[in-house]
Amino acid sequence: MLAVRLHAPGEPLRIEQVDIPEPRGTEVRVRVAGCGVCHTDLHIVDGSQPRVELPVTLGHEVAGWIEAVGPDAERAMHGTRLRPRRRLRIGDPVVVFGGWGCGACRECARGEEQRCERGRSPGFQNDGGYAEQLLVPHPRHLVGLGPLDPVEAAPLADAGVTPYRAVRRAASWLEPGARVLLIGAGGLGQFALQYLRAFPDLTVAVREIRPEKLAAAEALGADLGILGGDEDLVHLGLGGPADVVFDFVGTDETLDYAVRNVAAGGLLSLVGEAGGHVPFGFDSVPVEMAITTTAWGAVDDLRTVVKQARQGRLRWAVERMPLTEAARAHERLAAGDVEGRIVLVPGGAPGA
């Protein structure tokens, strides 16, 4: 089968023929319908993402169809008495949850596998979805899509679930009248705007460097667009510093901007993994502000996002590109030449 692999940081991506993986034990093989292209993939290629084992097939935003299962997977397809799941069958369309925990530790028992210290993820430590097939360690990492097109649904695995998790964890700051600042309105930020609109009486500003993304953010309900770094507009448009800042970029520059524009007692939620840092101390951040990170979400978060998508409550744009054009997709994403989410389609033309 074809796979797009990275062998060393900074090297060009390689399109290679690799063996089709055979599922063993509880493993499930998914025939990939599409895999989203994420900024984190760019950080993996340039070497700034530390949690990677090379060589690896890239791609962590994956959806497709169950094609084969290991001998112990059949019983696990419908969960346990305490955590039942809708029974999955060969041929079912699924989206792949990417936080593959060990299944035995305290975090995994809580359903928070993405926080497992021994966890692994596709496209990071295990081969991912820039391929025709993907081997998933257990059926509990699969969420049924029902009538959703798996190519269209691939971004839900990260761009959809990660901002859902970030917004949900910020709920105690999102009281009526709260002021919110989003830094970055790309694939994740556009989902975040839709989740925020479920909270009453918020004022939401979006900071972007591209005017067309501000226009898209306005269409999704942003109250104020800030082009570049004009901090005066933050305070004028919101009526003061933000109670919550979501940074979907995560550079030193955007984090510095976030700290300068968050209120005392507010929350800075870092989602983007561009490698930035925040100097922390009484004299470097507003008094009693909180700083947190968000990585993925729990599998139950992904189920909720898929449910909302099936109900037609979410909007997102997908551009299909052939898997063999992965390098070109990376170039376009790095240049900011992407409206929503590029999804790589194995063996298919853009309309496949």
Side-chain angles (χ1 to χ4, degrees):
M1 69 172 185
L2 283 181
V4 178
R5 294 175 58 78
L6 178 70
H7 285 257
E11 283 193 359
L13 298 177
R14 303 185 194 178
I15 301 173
E16 299 178 348
Q17 283 283 350
V18 300
D19 292 337
I20 296 175
E22 289 300 326
R24 299 178 296 177
T26 61
E27 293 174 336
V28 178
R29 190 173 75 225
V30 173
R31 178 164 61 91
V32 176
C35 185
V37 179
C38 175
H39 271 97
T40 304
D41 297 328
L42 305 186
H43 302 320
I44 291 172
V45 172
D46 68 22
S48 61
Q49 172 57 253
R51 304 183 305 276
V52 179
E53 297 177 11
L54 298 177
V56 72
T57 300
L58 292 178
H60 57 272
E61 255 185 18
V62 193
W65 301 272
I66 297 175
E67 183 159 275
V69 300
D72 301 321
E74 196 63 47
R75 182 172 57 183
M77 295 278 264
H78 53 85
T80 66
R81 181 175 62 83
L82 295 178
R83 295 184 66 83
R85 293 185 293 275
R86 188 187 71 83
R87 184 174 179 84
L88 294 171
R89 296 177 172 83
I90 290 176
D92 280 357
V94 291
V95 62
V96 180
F97 171 68
W100 297 348
C102 68
C105 68
R106 182 176 66 173
E107 296 296 345
C108 288
R110 292 173 171 172
E112 303 285 359
E113 291 197 46
Q114 77 284 358
R115 299 201 301 226
C116 176
E117 290 184 356
R118 297 191 293 274
R120 302 175 69 83
S121 293
F124 292 80
Q125 301 87 18
N126 284 46
D127 285 337
Y130 283 22
E132 295 177 310
Q133 307 275 348
L134 172 68
L135 200 62
V136 179
H138 196 280
R140 68 177 184 271
H141 305 310
L142 303 175
V143 176
L145 289 173
L148 291 177
D149 177 352
V151 177
E152 297 290 319
L156 300 179
D158 182 9
V161 73
T162 302
Y164 174 82
R165 174 80 169 191
V167 170
R168 183 170 71 79
R169 294 181 68 228
S172 59
W173 280 269
L174 298 173
E175 299 176 342
R179 302 181 293 256
V180 182
L181 172 63
L182 269 65
I183 301 175
L188 278 72
Q190 292 183 28
F191 276 99
L193 272 168
Q194 297 176 76
Y195 301 137
L196 286 167
R197 281 307 168 207
F199 292 81
D201 196 25
L202 300 181
T203 304
V204 181
V206 174
R207 183 223 181 179
E208 253 294 344
I209 59 174
R210 299 181 68 89
E212 63 271 20
K213 290 189 176 181
L214 285 182
E218 181 180 358
L220 291 171
D223 298 298
L224 172 68
I226 302 167
L227 188 62
D230 192 339
E231 290 178 48
D232 289 339
L233 283 179
V234 176
H235 292 252
L236 287 172
L238 291 180
D243 299 296
V244 184
V245 179
F246 295 99
D247 186 350
F248 289 102
V249 181
T251 63
D252 285 338
E253 187 272 331
T254 59
L255 283 167
D256 179 63
Y257 183 88
V259 169
R260 294 198 310 270
N261 287 284
V262 68
L267 172 68
L268 166 54
S269 178
L270 172 60
V271 185
E273 295 193 59
H277 297 84
V278 176
F280 187 74
F282 276 104
D283 60 347
S284 56
V285 298
V287 63
E288 293 193 340
M289 71 164 289
I291 302 175
T292 190
T293 58
T294 296
W296 299 106
V299 68
D300 283 344
D301 294 326
L302 181 56
R303 291 191 182 101
T304 299
V305 169
V306 169
K307 182 178 179 180
Q308 291 187 11
R310 290 176 64 175
Q311 293 171 341
R313 295 164 56 188
L314 299 175
R315 296 161 50 195
W316 69 99
V318 162
E319 178 185 349
R320 304 178 185 212
M321 290 183 66
L323 175 65
T324 51
E325 293 187 17
R328 174 61 181 150
H330 279 211
E331 291 173 1
R332 287 186 50 199
L333 184 60
D337 181 27
V338 180
E339 285 294 320
R341 205 61 152 183
I342 290 175
V343 172
L344 299 175
V345 179

